[in-house]
Amino acid sequence: MALERLHVGPFYGSKLLGVLAAALLITALFVTGRSQKLAGVSQPSPAGTTADQAPYRLGGGFRCPLARPVLVMADGHSYPAGHPTKPPQGARAIACYQSSEEAAAAGYRPAPLPPGVLVIGGVYLAPTDRVFRSGCQRAADRLGYAVPCPGLLPTSTPGMAPPELCGTQDPCHRGQGFFFQRDGFEVPSGYVGVSKQRQGSLQLAASPTRQPNGVADFDCEPEGSIATIRVQGSRGVLVHCSGPSSSGQVTLRWTQASVDISMSLQGANAVNQQLLIAMAAHLRLVRPTT
């Protein structure tokens, strides 16, 4: 029996072409979606962060954006801005969080602190090193009177020059006042410093009580007394000053061994008051050897 040739009419022919076209389109979409998935186009990052929230490399380590300053690493710890402990060599950065509490909720506790470090309001105060302390002795010898030497200072941002005494700006010539300034140290989110910005600025000044026009009241127009406290066995006064920036400043003043001392932080707030009290408690008066 001979096979009959199949004849397709115009209506059925167009319908069949439509079905074939739809099938090809579905196949193309499936292949495209599968290839994108394999290429990682639609895959979220491990911590669910976007590009502007992820860690980035800087100076041989990792840093986080200002809005999310808490770095978490594969060692299971978090490293908030200013934390003096460095992540283990070769550790992998995971993500950045807005706060230590948020990181802890995700399972990342702050890394252990080195001995002697204090944390006040999210600001880390770390012990000064031998090089800095030798600079205090050099300053006392050049000026000819005892100078206050900080035992604790806020931690520096990566790449920032180490704190310096008797540098180019303040060479410590005999007969002059002692002055030390530290700007740009690490602060947490929410910290209010210079001009109401997240920027820290510390000033430390001293001069003999007998010296006219001393610098112990540098840039401080008192606007009110905050508290009277004991500092290094002396009576100290914590005051609120107008300061050189719009955020105001807090200043702690006292006299010790016939030297007027003034320590200030830009930003009139409770955290800076506590930081001043802590740093003043760890100051050491270094006397000249000559």
Side-chain angles (χ1 to χ4, degrees), residues 117-129:
V117 174
L118 298 180
V119 188
I120 298 176
V123 178
Y124 292 87
L125 299 178
T128 52
D129 60 17

Side-chain angles (χ1 to χ4, degrees), residues 211-226:
Q211 179 176 308
N213 302 320
V215 296
D217 291 335
F218 179 81
D219 273 343
C220 178
E221 292 293 334
E223 294 186 348
S225 177
I226 299 172

Side-chain angles (χ1 to χ4, degrees), residues 191-213:
Y191 179 90
V192 179
V194 178
S195 299
K196 301 180 181 178
Q197 301 297 313
R198 184 186 160 191
Q199 180 181 348
S201 180
L202 166 70
Q203 297 86 33
L204 175 62
S207 60
T209 55
R210 63 181 184 277
Q211 179 176 308
N213 302 320

Side-chain angles (χ1 to χ4, degrees), residues 6 62 67 90 101 122 127 129 132 138 156:
L6 180 63
F62 291 96
E101 292 76 16
D129 60 17
F132 182 83
R138 182 170 59 251
S156 304

